[in-house]
Amino acid sequence: MGSVIMHSVASVDGFIADDNDDVGPLHEWYFNGDVPIRERDQGYDHSGAGSRFRVSPASAEYVRTMWNRIGTIVMGRRLFDLVNGWEGQPPTGDHVVVVSHRPKPAGWHPEASYHFVGDVAAAVDRARELAGDRDVAVNAGDVGGQILAAGLVDEVAMDVVPVVFGSGRRYFGRTDGRYPLAGPHVVVHGDGVLHLRFKARP
């Protein structure tokens, strides 16, 4: 069985978007290099620039290795609605589990392996089942924070971008309490981004 990895790009003060859900410069490093992340690029760009994923060599090696391990993405309904579920084509992985009390929109990409589950524990169980021996990637934010608080996260992965937001959507959502992490056991310096991975302590 693979790991459950909470992941997102974040500002240095720990925000994944501003108060208006705008990611600003957080995703620019995905498009500032010469190396494509994957041969079959989905072409998704949250900023709407329409560019393909092309990053620095250090980021490419890190992201490719991580993305190749992902079988399922877990996301919240807020992000699903913001990006319209990436039009049924997630950036990586074969399946998506959406934590939501509302069902999949009627007629929305029936061919896509998207599963709508009402609570975080059930969502992680379903994601693990779908992923098999590959990893589950949990999008950071409120849902990610709930999954961390439930003790279901094995690792925390942050792509830290040198910008300060001051306020907005927090990487760890609205969760309270202390959750000690070990490491970082991975530190990779990309162009305009620092990739960090921490083990979650039991």
Side-chain angles (χ1 to χ4, degrees), residues 5 7-8 12 15 29 33 39 50 64 73 87 89-90 92 99 117 119 132 151 154 163 165-167 171 173 182:
I5 304 170
H7 173 251
S8 191
V12 293
F15 294 98
W29 65 272
E39 292 180 7
R64 281 178 182 155
I73 293 174
E87 299 297 342
Q89 295 186 330
T92 189
V99 180
V117 180
D119 68 82
D154 299 310
V163 62
F165 274 21
S167 66
Y171 181 96

Side-chain angles (χ1 to χ4, degrees), residues 9-192:
V9 182
S11 65
V12 293
D13 54 345
F15 294 98
I16 58 175
D18 68 15
D19 294 306
N20 298 314
D21 294 309
D22 189 341
V23 298
L26 291 181
H27 292 179
E28 289 179 358
W29 65 272
Y30 276 123
F31 311 100
N32 69 358
D34 298 321
V35 185
I37 292 176
R38 56 200 291 180
E39 292 180 7
R40 184 179 62 84
D41 200 306
Q42 302 284 6
Y44 169 72
D45 175 12
H46 188 81
S47 71
S51 302
R52 296 182 55 171
F53 292 119
R54 301 184 74 87
V55 299
S56 67
S59 288
E61 182 178 357
Y62 171 81
V63 174
R64 281 178 182 155
T65 299
M66 185 175 183
W67 282 19
N68 287 340
R69 285 285 311 151
I70 294 171
T72 306
I73 293 174
V74 177
M75 68 192 307
R77 185 60 182 253
R78 182 188 194 91
L79 180 58
F80 174 86
D81 289 341
L82 280 170
V83 301
N84 196 28
W86 302 298
E87 299 297 342
Q89 295 186 330
T92 189
D94 300 316
H95 315 279
V96 174
V97 175
V98 182
V99 180
S100 177
H101 295 295
R102 291 179 285 141
K104 182 189 297 187
W108 184 88
H109 293 285
E111 78 288 350
S113 182
Y114 278 57
H115 309 263
F116 288 64
V117 180
D119 68 82
V120 294
V124 172
D125 285 345
R126 183 68 174 127
R128 281 187 179 277
E129 177 186 338
L130 291 166
D133 62 353
R134 296 168 73 192
D135 292 335
V136 172
V138 174
N139 281 113
D142 285 337
V143 165
Q146 292 172 41
I147 293 172
L148 177 69
L152 301 174
V153 169
D154 299 310
E155 290 188 49
V156 171
M158 304 178 77
D159 301 320
V160 181
V161 173
V163 62
V164 174
F165 274 21
S167 66
R169 307 295 176 191
R170 295 188 175 278
Y171 181 96
F172 293 101
R174 292 173 293 212
T175 189
D176 53 11
R178 294 183 180 180
Y179 303 96
L181 305 174
H185 67 96
V186 174
V187 179
V188 176
H189 296 262
D191 184 2

